[in-house]
Amino acid sequence: MKNFKNISGYPESINISKMQSLENLCKNFAENLGAIPVLLPVVEKRELFERSVGNSTDIVEKEMLSLSDKDLVLRPEGTAVAIRMWNNNGGLRNLKQQRWYYSDFMFRNETPQSGRFKQFKQFGIEFLGYKEGLTDIEVLCSLDQFFKELGINEKIKLKLNIIGSKEERTLYLKELTSWLTINMEKLDSLSKQRCVKNPLRIFDSKIKETQLLLKEAPLLYDYLNIESKQYFETIITLLNKFNVNFEIDYTLVRGLDYYNGLVFEFVYLNEDKSQNAVAAGGRYDSLSKSINGENVPAMGFAVGMERLYSLYSSPNEERKGFYICWLDNCEEQALRILFKYRKENIITVMDTGNRKLVKQLKQADESNFRYAIIIGESEVEGDFITRKDLETGEEIRIF
Ligand code: HAM
């Protein structure tokens, strides 16, 4: 499988140390928001995602990777897992509110294409126990600020919608279903099936003709109650006050069933990638109950790390440490220098030797070391070492 090749679990095109710097920036961002790290289990019961993400979503219907025990799957996402962990641990529940972050690989059996992988990393933060209100604004403004700091804000835009509660959607779904029945002939085959099982999921269709047709469909927003509409207005006013650029998209429903209220996606501005979101999330106040838990108001988001990486131009990585290049019969002196620098807490690596100096220097340069320490016959005889600055080329003797 193409994207399982790299030793890091990332696609081959990804430079691991650049990605690690980006992951560290995400970690700092989460910790500044007061979030603590959690480790999500890789394997979960299939049933967890059937009940939370939803039986008739793309993820559950087509994309889950099962183990030979068909009741178990590789986690396709982290939110349901986080809520299950919260529910299963009474001690955590007593805390009432907590912010959790994770940076973990997820698995979906999707056809690999640009920005879409079977194994991909999500950096996510879940705000557990937080009711609708200022947290929603805090999350949107903080993410917007983070993307500005990464210098990617010009390449993406925030799309926003409000989808109400299950109860608010009841009347709308009736109207939508009658409209879909009239237009049934124009729908693709998967959308036809979804009309019966879960009509809202029709908005996830990737078929261009269906997307065009849906522009004529009744709008969910028109069926929401006054409180939801007022809340959306408040969010919009505050986002404007805090200079967050956004666009309202009344057809944005997200591809997972557990959402209610505010939902959002940061999507590529680039036309070719219009299907792809870099980060996405929303409120999921009834997810906990849907898997037999208590009432846990919550919201959160996840960023696709490979997609974030594709937009991010990192500053050139700083060179660091010493690389010891040594010639025949100088190994004892090379080892002494290696241990001396390590004792001083300097990153130091020694070449395996038995090869020409130019090859050793090339290795030092390509491995991004700052200095090469050269130890040859004249160095041993004169009791000094030569230190070459691999950035400037300057060489000095150190006695
Ligand atoms: P999601 O929209 O399914 O939401 O995924 C979140 C992000 O993961 C996407 O915006 C995208 O960047 C990335 N992603 C998804 N699938 C792939 C893929 N096959 N290849 C590469 N990247 C991908 C969730 O998973 C929710 N759990 C997000 C959330 C957290 N909602 C509340 N809290």
Side-chain angles (χ1 to χ4, degrees):
M1 261 191 260
K2 229 179 174 181
N3 66 309
F4 285 113
K5 268 193 198 160
N6 196 316
I7 49 161
S8 66
Y10 283 120
E12 277 181 324
S13 56
I14 283 182
N15 174 307
I16 297 167
S17 70
K18 270 191 189 173
M19 179 56 111
Q20 277 171 344
S21 316
L22 189 57
E23 285 179 357
N24 283 338
L25 293 173
C26 291
K27 181 174 170 261
N28 289 344
F29 167 65
E31 292 187 352
N32 284 341
L33 259 65
I36 55 163
V38 286
L39 287 174
L40 307 177
V42 180
V43 173
E44 283 284 344
K45 283 194 177 154
R46 164 179 286 274
E47 191 199 355
L48 171 68
F49 303 104
E50 287 173 348
R51 293 174 64 172
S52 56
V53 173
N55 258 325
S56 44
T57 56
D58 278 352
I59 296 180
V60 173
E61 235 174 17
K62 307 190 277 187
E63 294 166 6
M64 290 216 288
L65 286 158
S66 313
L67 302 193
S68 57
D69 174 345
K70 294 266 185 286
D71 291 338
L72 298 176
V73 294
L74 297 177
R75 60 179 176 221
E77 63 102 47
T79 312
V81 182
I83 283 282
R84 182 198 57 69
M85 284 164 71
W86 178 267
N87 284 340
N88 285 2
N89 190 320
L92 289 174
R93 269 202 321 268
N94 290 339
L95 290 168
K96 304 284 184 231
Q97 286 182 339
Q98 242 190 358
R99 298 166 176 216
W100 284 6
Y101 79 88
Y102 49 88
S103 181
D104 283 322
F105 282 114
M106 303 294 160
F107 307 87
R108 294 184 193 175
N109 198 8
E110 298 202 70
T111 313
Q113 48 184 284
S114 162
R116 202 169 280 283
F117 309 102
K118 285 180 193 279
Q119 172 173 316
F120 58 97
K121 197 174 262 192
Q122 278 188 348
F123 157 68
I125 311 187
E126 310 296 349
F127 296 74
L128 306 172
Y130 288 84
K131 285 194 185 125
E132 190 172 84
L134 276 190
T135 314
D136 296 2
I137 277 291
E138 181 196 338
V139 169
L140 291 175
C141 292
S142 309
L143 263 177
D144 180 70
Q145 179 61 27
F146 181 51
F147 292 145
K148 280 182 181 143
E149 281 162 17
L150 291 181
I152 65 160
N153 55 309
E154 303 281 317
K155 301 175 191 163
I156 55 177
K157 72 176 164 202
L158 168 61
K159 283 188 169 190
L160 209 62
N161 193 19
I162 185 152
I163 60 169
S165 62
K166 219 174 177 181
E167 294 69 39
E168 280 175 273
R169 290 195 292 263
T170 317
L171 178 59
Y172 170 68
L173 290 177
K174 256 189 189 165
E175 291 296 316
L176 179 66
T177 310
S178 341
W179 184 88
L180 288 169
T181 314
I182 297 167
N183 291 282
M184 190 66 83
E185 283 316 302
K186 301 180 198 154
L187 292 175
D188 59 274
S189 55
L190 181 62
S191 298
K192 277 182 186 156
Q193 290 168 28
R194 287 190 172 165
C195 263
V196 187
K197 286 201 256 173
N198 191 346
L200 202 61
R201 293 275 68 89
I202 283 179
F203 288 96
D204 303 334
S205 172
K206 295 183 178 90
I207 311 279
K208 276 255 144 51
E209 291 74 24
T210 307
Q211 286 173 353
L212 269 176
L213 179 71
L214 287 172
K215 290 201 164 128
E216 312 291 318
L219 276 187
L220 170 55
Y221 184 81
D222 295 331
Y223 296 80
L224 297 185
N225 64 30
I226 188 77
E227 289 80 14
S228 288
K229 286 181 178 169
Q230 276 170 354
Y231 180 66
F232 201 42
E233 282 304 313
T234 315
I235 294 281
I236 289 167
T237 311
L238 283 168
L239 287 179
N240 282 323
K241 278 198 178 155
F242 286 95
N243 296 323
V244 176
N245 272 328
F246 63 92
E247 188 183 292
I248 297 170
D249 178 353
Y250 289 116
T251 62
L252 179 71
V253 291
R254 306 276 298 116
L256 304 92
D257 278 354
Y258 54 61
Y259 290 109
N260 64 280
L262 189 73
V263 291
F264 60 90
E265 286 183 351
F266 284 85
V267 298
Y268 293 105
L269 277 181
N270 185 332
E271 290 281 304
D272 302 343
K273 294 181 170 177
S274 59
Q275 291 294 330
N276 288 344
V278 180
R283 296 208 62 82
Y284 49 92
D285 299 311
S286 41
L287 194 162
S288 172
K289 276 196 163 168
S290 74
I291 54 170
N292 292 346
E294 289 174 4
N295 186 26
V296 183
M299 83 95 69
F301 65 85
V303 180
M305 287 306 292
E306 294 79 0
R307 296 186 189 177
L308 185 66
Y309 177 96
S310 74
L311 296 173
Y312 175 62
S313 347
S314 61
N316 274 344
E317 222 198 315
E318 222 183 290
R319 289 176 170 270
K320 43 183 178 216
F322 290 173
Y323 191 88
I324 301 175
C325 308
W326 55 280
L327 298 174
D328 288 350
N329 304 321
C330 306
E331 57 269 45
E332 201 180 310
Q333 182 65 351
L335 277 170
R336 277 187 214 291
I337 297 291
L338 173 75
F339 297 136
K340 174 179 173 302
Y341 285 141
R342 291 237 180 107
K343 228 177 174 175
E344 290 170 23
N345 239 345
I346 300 171
I347 300 170
T348 313
V349 170
M350 181 172 151
D351 196 84
T352 44
N354 279 331
R355 54 180 178 162
K356 287 193 173 132
L357 182 61
V358 271
K359 289 209 166 154
Q360 298 190 34
L361 287 170
K362 190 166 178 252
Q363 174 91 50
D365 187 37
E366 286 174 355
S367 311
N368 221 22
F369 282 90
R370 177 70 205 265
Y371 296 106
I373 304 296
I374 302 165
I375 305 173
E377 213 175 304
S378 42
E379 278 84 1
V380 175
E381 272 174 20
D383 203 16
F384 66 88
I385 55 170
T386 302
R387 194 182 80 184
K388 185 179 168 99
D389 187 327
L390 292 168
E391 226 163 61
T392 63
E394 186 197 16
E395 282 188 20
I396 55 164
R397 286 180 174 190
I398 302 175
F399 289 91

